[in-house]
Amino acid sequence: MNKRPFILKGNIFVNNYDEYIIGKIVKNNNVEDKSIYIQVLDMQHLDLFSEGYKGYIFEDKPINLDLKNINYCCNINNYETLIDNDVVEIVNNEWIRLLYRDDSDDNAIVVTNQCNSNCIMCPDADMVRNTKENPDIKKLLEHIRCIPDDTKHITITGGEPGMLKHNLVCLLRECKEHLPNTDFLLLSNGRVFANTQFTNQIFENVPRNFRIAMPIYADNESLHDEITRAKGSFEQTVRGIKNLIDKKIDIEIRIVVLKKNYKQLKQITRFIVKEMPEVKIVNIMALEMTGNAYKNMEEVWINFDEIKNELYSACIETLKAGIITNLYNFPLCKIDERLYSISHRSITDYKVRYKEACAECSIKDECGGFFNSTIYVKDIEVKPIMIEE
Ligand code: SF4
């Protein structure tokens, strides 16, 4: 499990006019092309200091170096957790933010906090989504250019990435050029793709290995729009999905299961099979109880035990139609055992938790466990599964 901190604080002195620096880490070493690197030096390796890096992170303030015209940080808490090829942002006199972890296959680029929907179970809070301080496109492109070109997977997420409009096209173009061998997953509510002209522009710039994941929360406008709290969202998302299918872009549909829709799960998967049989993947997901989901707990939370039968019937519909079907974020002892083979350990490594009783469970290594935000939200009783050796 990767539990390295995302924010590092200490003494930070940035001369850069942009008030931030994004760079790739080289630790106690040197590289030839310094222009995209930040050099990290502990006290034993100060002799490796070399001019020309974007910035420097020192274990302690060096006394024999001229620091006047360089961007540097020192006495940073947990600086030693940084590793070669991590990508960090040094924020002026404030902190260092870890943007890319080189030892993880679970990296994401958050392109905006804003969204044109306001889902009742959104894991972000209203306050986060309404912030106007989104990363500018210059920063995002710099971030992408620093990511090592052998990275396997990147998720592009928000908020709603479609809020970037033309900048999303620029961002995808940069991904296509700089990371030709990386798999990309774009998480979107799909509404912007109802615009055919925009979808055409996206199509012309998508990276080679690219998929868009979009939500369908109901098989009808009334319930879907009630969940997204955005009138017209069902019609736009469905039209967007069909436009993307026309362009032969790989589509994943995500169904989040909540109190308002769990009884309709089978109708939803039937709708997908009938209306958009070209979708590659249907992922059915359990709630993450943060942000709006936590605030609206009484309206959204449904016990895993209540969902069990509906979940099984829904999965059978898409599986029968030959659509790859996966379950995300479900503890194994809470689903029908015939679905074990399609259930995945999907919760981000630093968020996954297990109950105390899970320690004696024989299938813990295969179990998706719980979100840190969900595990104690209600009294969920687990049933450890014992397999005789
Ligand atoms: S007991 Fe724990 S580890 Fe075992 S299946 Fe249930 S939640 Fe997973």
Side-chain angles (χ1 to χ4, degrees):
M1 188 184 298
N2 191 321
K3 284 192 173 166
R4 298 198 282 134
F6 281 88
I7 299 287
L8 312 180
K9 290 194 172 175
N11 298 324
I12 297 174
F13 306 92
V14 175
N15 297 306
N16 192 306
Y17 289 118
D18 286 337
E19 297 195 338
Y20 67 85
I21 294 164
I22 291 175
K24 191 160 32 168
I25 294 296
V26 52
K27 193 169 173 182
N28 296 325
N29 210 336
N30 269 295
V31 287
E32 259 178 49
D33 175 15
K34 298 171 184 163
S35 65
I36 60 165
Y37 279 89
I38 290 169
Q39 192 181 36
V40 178
L41 294 173
D42 63 26
M43 294 312 277
Q44 286 76 50
H45 292 90
L46 277 182
D47 55 320
L48 291 172
F49 173 80
S50 171
E51 287 180 8
Y53 287 101
K54 276 179 138 178
Y56 299 83
I57 300 172
F58 300 114
E59 179 183 1
D60 211 343
K61 191 168 181 174
I63 40 175
N64 295 327
L65 296 178
D66 177 7
L67 303 173
K68 244 189 282 152
N69 291 317
I70 67 166
N71 304 302
Y72 73 95
C73 320
C74 54
N75 307 109
I76 300 291
N77 297 334
N78 298 310
Y79 89 100
E80 69 286 351
T81 60
L82 295 172
I83 60 172
D84 280 343
N85 294 321
D86 278 349
V87 178
V88 300
E89 175 185 1
I90 302 178
V91 183
N92 191 22
N93 297 329
E94 290 186 52
W95 56 64
I96 297 171
R97 196 196 323 265
L98 185 55
L99 298 176
Y100 168 87
R101 298 170 294 160
D102 196 53
D103 56 351
S104 171
D105 290 330
D106 197 13
N107 281 291
I109 304 176
V110 180
V111 300
T112 177
N113 287 326
Q114 289 168 25
C115 186
N116 50 355
S117 292
N118 184 23
C119 295
I120 194 166
M121 70 309 184
C122 179
D124 283 342
D126 288 352
M127 201 183 69
V128 176
R129 270 176 297 99
N130 292 334
T131 170
K132 298 283 180 259
E133 285 170 31
N134 287 315
D136 66 37
I137 185 68
K138 221 169 65 182
K139 232 179 180 183
L140 293 169
L141 296 180
E142 214 170 321
H143 177 173
I144 293 164
R145 280 180 212 125
C146 289
I147 296 174
D149 62 7
D150 61 353
T151 196
K152 286 198 195 96
H153 175 89
I154 296 284
T155 300
I156 300 169
T157 184
E160 166 50 40
M163 300 294 280
L164 263 63
K165 302 205 172 112
H166 180 69
N167 281 340
L168 181 62
V169 179
C170 301
L171 188 135
L172 292 176
R173 190 185 304 132
E174 190 65 40
C175 291
K176 181 181 181 174
E177 282 168 14
H178 176 67
L179 300 165
N181 301 315
T182 301
D183 290 339
F184 287 92
L185 177 66
L186 173 69
L187 305 183
S188 167
N189 61 33
R191 295 175 60 191
V192 283
F193 304 111
N195 178 330
T196 320
Q197 214 181 347
F198 182 70
T199 305
N200 289 343
Q201 283 175 21
I202 291 286
F203 168 69
E204 278 157 24
N205 291 283
V206 289
R208 195 163 50 136
N209 306 311
F210 181 72
R211 189 164 82 232
I212 308 188
M214 287 160 290
I216 298 266
Y217 300 132
D219 67 342
N220 62 80
E221 182 177 325
S222 146
L223 180 58
H224 182 95
D225 290 4
E226 184 187 325
I227 291 170
T228 62
R229 299 188 293 189
K231 199 161 170 36
S233 60
F234 179 76
E235 194 273 323
Q236 288 174 342
T237 298
V238 170
R239 193 143 45 95
I241 292 170
K242 290 185 175 176
N243 282 344
L244 291 163
I245 286 172
D246 283 347
K247 289 289 169 196
K248 306 234 172 323
I249 292 176
D250 282 358
I251 305 296
E252 169 184 323
I253 301 290
R254 295 191 161 192
I255 307 168
V256 177
V257 185
L258 60 155
K259 197 187 219 171
K260 282 182 183 289
N261 71 356
Y262 80 101
K263 287 192 180 142
Q264 274 99 56
L265 280 181
K266 187 172 171 181
Q267 283 103 293
I268 302 172
T269 47
R270 269 195 179 157
F271 172 81
I272 293 166
V273 169
K274 181 164 170 272
E275 291 293 321
M276 44 194 76
E278 300 86 351
V279 304
K280 280 261 160 34
I281 301 174
V282 168
N283 288 328
I284 306 183
M285 324 184 61
L287 284 168
E288 179 174 9
M289 294 301 287
T290 53
N292 275 354
Y294 188 78
K295 186 173 152 205
N296 302 316
M297 191 185 307
E298 290 312 313
E299 280 178 89
V300 304
W301 177 258
I302 179 73
N303 283 331
F304 289 107
D305 297 326
E306 306 277 329
I307 303 168
K308 198 169 175 177
N309 294 339
E310 322 290 340
L311 194 60
Y312 179 75
S313 314
C315 291
I316 293 302
E317 292 296 318
T318 40
L319 287 167
K320 262 192 330 202
I323 298 174
I324 297 167
T325 306
N326 299 301
L327 296 179
Y328 279 0
N329 317 339
F330 287 93
L332 283 180
C333 59
K334 294 288 166 189
I335 61 171
D336 190 303
E337 62 182 59
R338 288 169 289 181
L339 300 178
Y340 280 9
S341 62
I342 63 165
S343 181
H344 298 270
R345 286 177 62 106
S346 48
I347 299 175
T348 308
D349 46 17
Y350 63 91
K351 289 183 184 172
V352 71
R353 299 287 184 279
Y354 293 88
K355 294 263 189 189
E356 226 177 281
C358 298
E360 57 194 66
C361 180
S362 308
I363 58 171
K364 186 178 171 205
D365 288 349
E366 286 80 47
C367 176
F370 300 85
F371 280 109
N372 49 0
S373 59
T374 307
I375 189 161
Y376 297 118
V377 79
K378 293 273 173 183
D379 194 15
I380 308 167
E381 200 189 324
V382 294
K383 295 191 187 100
I385 292 164
M386 309 294 184
I387 300 173
E388 302 281 318
E389 293 287 310

